[in-house]
Amino acid sequence: MARRATIHDVAREAGVSVATVSKAVNGRYGIAADTARRVMDAVEKLGYASSLVASSMRSRHTGVIGVLVADFEPFSAEILKGVGAALHDSELDLLAYSGSRQRDSEGWERRSLSRLSGTLIDGAIMVTPTVVGASSDIPIVAIDPHTGRADLPTVESDNFGGALQATRHLIQLGHRRIGFVAGRPDLRSSSLREAGYRQALSDAGIAFDPALVRVGRYEPDAARERTGSLLASADRPTAVFAANDISAIAVHELATSLGLSVPRDLSIVGFDDVPEAARRAVPLTTVRQSMQRLGEEALSMLLTLMDGHTPENTHIRLPTALVVRATTAPPPEG
């Protein structure tokens, strides 16, 4: 079997650098027309056109779906599982992409799309993008965008309804002093979860107390650090609702380190229902959002767009459900 031509072979044949070959096959600026033509002639001669990038220059199709994430964490990992499962019987490949240090940088999706669209992927699913107006030559669907619905097709969960359920569950158990560990202030889903928490308190005639709120940013270290003073206070809450599971788990670990028993001394509810929530020694009560289904629905919309059609529904909101496990109970007496 003949060895497949590499980009180095093309560079030698055309008498240029590897970087110049990369620019030519990706259609980037900074290369003379005759040089680009010489490179593409070498591509054809050596059969390098059978590679993913070079073939895309001829057909404009790569057969690859891109899932762009700011970071690889439990939420995006579950979405990737959903997209991967939905692609299982198709001829399309999946590319999961996260650029370096994008997490705290607004507009990361613009850079990612500029690198990938048209040459490496035929369509993109962006997970929690900061910008939904990112322009591209390929179809795009957003999951849980920071700013909510926009012209871009979007898929999200019922964050408000899920938080309402979680807080009502604690109220129905008899809790009145309920702490809240919020998520990222810049993320719309986080704001909706706090709104659901507040609404449940209001419906029950319980005044909102800002002293019971801590901003955990969906990060375990931040949740643990910022909730310490809350749980160590003499007038600590009898229950805590955390805006995601990894924050809830961090609160549980902190409570245990302080000598508190969950749920005897402190009830805890999370949000997401990541796999670890059910596997813990004391399984976590949480709000389940179908993260894998978010990926499946986003892919379905994307494939419709790639076929040149408009999805019947361009804004999908999936239901959430309370899953009661072992971290919630009535408040301690006295």
Side-chain angles (χ1 to χ4, degrees):
M1 182 178 295
R3 181 177 68 86
R4 176 177 294 181
T6 69
I7 192 170
H8 297 281
D9 297 328
V10 174
R12 280 192 295 270
E13 177 69 22
V16 298
S17 68
V18 169
T20 298
V21 174
S22 178
K23 286 181 180 180
V25 298
N26 284 288
R28 294 175 182 162
Y29 67 89
I31 178 173
D34 59 340
T35 302
R37 195 178 309 112
R38 190 164 74 251
V39 170
M40 296 312 294
D41 287 344
V43 161
E44 293 291 341
K45 177 180 177 180
L46 297 176
Y48 187 64
S50 63
S51 73
L52 178 64
V53 174
S55 63
S56 73
M57 295 298 294
R58 295 201 319 265
S59 68
R60 306 308 301 172
H61 294 289
T62 66
V64 179
I65 299 295
V67 179
L68 282 55
V69 300
D71 196 12
F72 291 108
E73 36 72 40
F75 178 73
S76 59
E78 290 300 306
I79 287 174
L80 283 166
K81 289 179 185 178
V83 176
L87 282 174
H88 185 266
D89 294 327
S90 78
E91 296 182 355
L92 296 169
D93 292 328
L94 171 63
L95 172 68
Y97 182 86
S98 176
S100 61
R101 298 185 180 178
Q102 295 176 343
R103 186 172 188 175
D104 297 320
S105 178
E106 185 173 338
W108 59 265
E109 51 283 298
R110 287 197 180 106
R111 294 191 302 275
S112 298
L113 286 170
S114 69
R115 293 167 181 167
L116 301 177
S117 62
T119 55
L120 288 179
I121 59 176
D122 294 331
I125 296 171
M126 300 191 302
V127 182
T128 61
T130 60
V131 178
V132 291
S135 60
S136 176
D137 295 331
I138 60 173
I140 304 171
V141 175
I143 294 178
D144 194 20
H146 283 219
T147 55
R149 294 183 177 187
D151 293 337
L152 198 66
T154 58
V155 186
E156 59 187 344
S157 294
D158 183 6
N159 294 287
F160 176 86
L164 192 69
Q165 285 181 297
T167 311
R168 282 179 174 171
H169 169 63
L170 293 170
I171 292 170
Q172 289 166 359
L173 287 171
H175 295 278
R176 292 296 179 269
R177 191 163 174 78
I178 303 170
F180 178 62
V181 180
R184 288 168 48 185
D186 62 326
L187 196 56
R188 179 173 176 265
S189 62
S190 177
S191 299
L192 288 171
R193 292 175 196 182
E194 181 169 349
Y197 161 75
R198 291 191 182 212
Q199 186 63 53
L201 295 179
S202 177
D203 291 346
I206 302 172
F208 169 73
D209 184 355
L212 294 177
V213 177
R214 297 291 188 273
V215 180
R217 297 188 57 82
Y218 290 147
E219 300 170 359
D221 290 343
R224 190 178 297 108
E225 177 184 348
R226 297 174 186 181
T227 311
S229 60
L230 184 65
L231 298 189
S233 66
D235 194 22
R236 62 174 171 77
T238 60
V240 170
F241 168 43
N244 72 338
D245 284 347
I246 61 174
S247 294
I249 290 169
V251 171
H252 190 167
E253 292 170 348
L254 173 63
T256 299
S257 72
L258 293 173
L260 299 175
S261 174
V262 176
R264 187 187 64 202
D265 300 319
L266 181 73
S267 287
I268 301 173
V269 181
F271 199 113
D272 284 339
D273 197 23
V274 297
E276 188 181 354
R279 298 171 184 163
R280 294 181 56 78
V282 182
L284 179 68
T285 294
T286 188
V287 175
R288 174 180 295 157
Q289 63 167 329
S290 182
M291 294 169 284
Q292 293 192 25
R293 190 179 165 202
L294 286 170
E296 293 169 0
E297 293 288 349
L299 177 66
S300 177
M301 294 172 68
L302 183 62
L303 294 179
T304 299
L305 291 168
M306 289 169 60
D307 285 339
H309 304 295
T310 300
E312 184 175 342
N313 186 356
T314 56
H315 298 293
I316 297 176
R317 185 175 67 183
L318 300 179
T320 51
L322 179 70
V323 180
V324 179
R325 295 194 178 105
T327 58
T328 51
E333 295 183 1

